[in-house]
Amino acid sequence: MDGLDRFLTTFFNARIFARYLPDMLAGVWTTIWLAAAVIALGLSLGLLLACLRAYGWRLANFFIICFADMGRALPPLVLILIIYFGLPGLGLRVPGPLVLILVLGTVLAAFAEEIFWAGLTSVPKGQWEAGRATGLGFTQTLVQIALPQAARLALPPLVNRVLAISKMTALGSVIGVSEILSVASTAQSFTGSAAPLTMGAIAYVIVFLPLVVLTRLLERRFAWKV
Amino acid sequence: MQDFIRLFFNLEVMAQTLPLLMQGLWMTAKLCAAVIGLGLVGGLFLALGALSHRRWLRWPAFALIDFLRALPPLVLLIFIYSGLPFAGLAISPFAAVAVAFFLNNSAYYAEIYRAGIQSVPTGQTEAARACGLTTGQTLAHVVLPQAVRNVLPDLLSNTVEVVKLTSLASVVSLAELLYSANMARSLTYNASPLVLAALVYLVLLWPLVRLVSRYQRRLAA
């Protein structure tokens, strides 16, 4: 019983939980608004790029494809360190939260572009032809006919990617953004106890479990249509 | 512009720090081998658990997968690296990273395997069983080869994610590629080593990313 007692006070110390609850709630709030900003930037930029790509301008498409490939091949932490530690050398100091939003938003945009584009290419050609034949312009056909169908196909992989990249806001702890992990690590070194880390892990599960459940629901909803 | 090139694309600094980065790359390679190998095996067992007919096996498997998917890998890593010593389990940075990312990726690989196994028609299993193969043989010789082929692009794309993920090991001072580059940056007061590390990741992963795109397009067509 002694061992279990020690385990509980090390990882689930109620006093420490209570003391750091306000800080942790502030961290949760930071994580949520950072994730919201990343998702907004990533999805809108990704959607815009996928639509531009549909116009088939060769030069523009070359750059879009390069952007999407680089965003998918580079680890986000490398980009974060380059911007956060590199730019001050040019006299340009970018605040941590902005670095995080810019990098993760761009990375999400790269994945989103590729997912939306895969959705667009799988819309049957006849849909496009029918749209044009009824007198719609190219842009109208794209927005009113192709996109709604592409978005349905893109939804499940998109939510998975949104989940994976929102979780990366934890990287903010490396550049001093006080989100959940950063609050937990600071509290851990102050108290010399592992309890704040447990608390941080619980906070993450509470914040992100709804998204995980959403991926399950979407999977079930779309399963029989494939 | 001159300053920009001197600070970010300084060839002299890059040449100077290249040996350090190559040592880091070797550590990255070892990490990848460990995490990919363990993750592929762990993921298969989790997937089989999640597909089991036995409730006491299926529910814990799903709970574990969803818990691991909700937890950021960096949080898992920090918990294992700085939390476990409090329980008297001191652990080396390499082991901490390997265990944390093994857990994280088992969940992701498990989801991919599960989708693959579910994509194989049940008639295949029934036919194999009717021919007298055992459950294990059916799985190994009939179901898994088809399942893996169906989800190859996803397995590949998750493997790219693993390689990128190993860069987080720099946070617990494991001297892999990114850690070495960041060390070189602080020694030279110059961001070129970080840019060089980015280029190394790009050279390694760009072909794989292209391959994933090509595969996915072929499936869509």
Side-chain angles (χ1 to χ4, degrees), chain A residues 69 72 167 216 219, chain B residues 66 69 114 164 206 210:
Chain A
D69 280 5
R72 290 181 303 152
K167 287 194 309 186
R216 292 264 178 242
E219 181 194 355
Chain B
D66 283 357
R69 286 207 305 157
R114 194 173 61 84
K164 287 158 61 182
W206 198 329
R210 277 281 90 224

Side-chain angles (χ1 to χ4, degrees), chain A residues 142-158:
Chain A
L142 175 65
V143 173
Q144 293 174 7
I145 297 192
L147 262 190
Q149 301 183 58
R152 283 174 57 89
L153 287 171
L155 200 56
L158 210 52

Side-chain angles (χ1 to χ4, degrees), chain B residues 13-28 174-188 193-194 196-197 200:
Chain B
V13 172
M14 284 185 178
Q16 213 177 1
T17 52
L18 187 65
L20 188 62
L21 261 67
M22 287 302 115
Q23 277 177 20
L25 182 60
W26 176 233
M27 177 57 85
T28 293
L174 182 65
E176 45 69 72
L177 181 54
L178 183 57
Y179 182 84
S180 309
N182 203 28
M183 181 70 95
R185 174 196 63 82
S186 62
L187 290 176
T188 57
L194 285 176
L196 184 59
V200 173

Side-chain angles (χ1 to χ4, degrees), chain B residues 38-82:
Chain B
L38 290 170
L40 280 172
V41 175
L44 182 57
F45 280 103
L46 261 184
L48 292 178
L51 287 168
S52 166
H53 294 296
R54 299 182 182 85
R55 237 179 235 180
W56 57 269
L57 209 57
R58 191 170 68 224
W59 288 10
F62 266 113
L64 185 58
I65 291 174
D66 283 357
F67 172 74
L68 288 172
R69 286 207 305 157
L71 209 57
L74 184 57
V75 176
L76 201 57
L77 174 58
I78 301 282
F79 191 86
I80 289 174
Y81 182 69
S82 20

Side-chain angles (χ1 to χ4, degrees), chain A residues 163-181:
Chain A
L163 170 65
I165 291 180
S166 319
K167 287 194 309 186
M168 285 186 197
T169 50
L171 295 183
S173 61
V174 179
I175 54 171
V177 179
S178 45
E179 42 67 70
I180 299 174
L181 180 58

Side-chain angles (χ1 to χ4, degrees), chain B residues 70 101 106 111 121 147 164 210:
Chain B
F101 294 169
S106 293
E111 283 293 285
K164 287 158 61 182
R210 277 281 90 224

Side-chain angles (χ1 to χ4, degrees), chain B residues 16 76 91 110 146 156 170 203 214:
Chain B
Q16 213 177 1
L76 201 57
I91 190 167
Q146 301 183 65
L156 191 61
S170 59
V203 168
R214 177 106 56 91

